[in-house]
Amino acid sequence: MAQGSTFSTTVGTAVLCLDDVEPGFFRNYMTAIKPAYKQEQGAYWFKASAEMYGAAVTEVFVSDESSAHRFIGVLTSLPPEQLADAVNKAAPAGARFKKDNPDDKYSTYTSLSGSVIAFQGKNGKMYCRRDQMLK
């Protein structure tokens, strides 16, 4: 199932930490497309079939109420290095990724805005995490 044409704008800018990370909004947005298929590791998980900044997105994860953080992220079909290259070419200003440790084959990539690209198995995941405010 393909997400609408607003997917890259709506989810993409949040994943790049260029927009607010409001879990309730993103859960509702994704649920309107297709309900979550699992809830684990402090997140709701949604299957996806979309493209975001030149990368095929296979899953979206959004923090749930049990998490100490607010976050949104995506799993892609590209390894982190290729994902960082694709996003660097296609994403808006402020989303440029740089390898944290150039000598480490499995290093994460971080953008100036705080978004992270890391390994998820052989493929890359990209996410934005914000600290929750204590209630």
Side-chain angles (χ1 to χ4, degrees):
M1 178 177 77
Q3 272 77 21
S5 60
T6 61
F7 180 84
S8 203
T9 303
T10 304
V11 174
T13 55
V15 170
L16 291 174
C17 295
L18 298 174
D19 201 353
D20 190 29
V21 176
E22 177 49 51
F25 170 82
F26 291 106
R27 275 194 310 274
N28 289 338
Y29 176 82
M30 292 304 299
T31 299
I33 298 166
K34 188 174 188 177
Y37 75 95
K38 67 180 177 180
Q39 182 180 3
E40 64 183 33
Q41 300 173 352
Y44 293 97
W45 294 79
F46 302 88
K47 294 283 185 188
S49 179
E51 187 171 302
M52 189 174 74
Y53 308 121
V57 173
T58 58
E59 294 182 58
V60 176
F61 55 96
V62 179
S63 58
D64 67 15
E65 300 78 15
S66 74
S67 178
H69 305 281
R70 293 178 296 133
F71 58 83
I72 182 169
V74 297
L75 302 183
T76 72
S77 61
L78 296 175
E81 184 175 337
Q82 290 177 19
L83 177 57
D85 288 343
V87 174
N88 285 345
K89 290 176 186 171
R96 184 141 182 87
F97 284 88
K98 184 177 178 184
K99 196 171 189 176
D100 295 338
N101 181 352
D103 298 327
D104 182 0
K105 180 179 177 181
Y106 300 103
S107 177
T108 57
Y109 294 76
T110 306
S111 72
L112 289 175
S113 60
S115 185
V116 176
I117 293 175
F119 276 91
Q120 178 77 27
K122 293 180 182 179
N123 295 334
K125 68 178 173 183
M126 181 170 49
Y127 61 90
C128 180
R129 186 188 92 186
R130 301 288 190 218
D131 290 333
Q132 289 274 34
M133 293 182 59
L134 297 175
K135 295 179 182 177

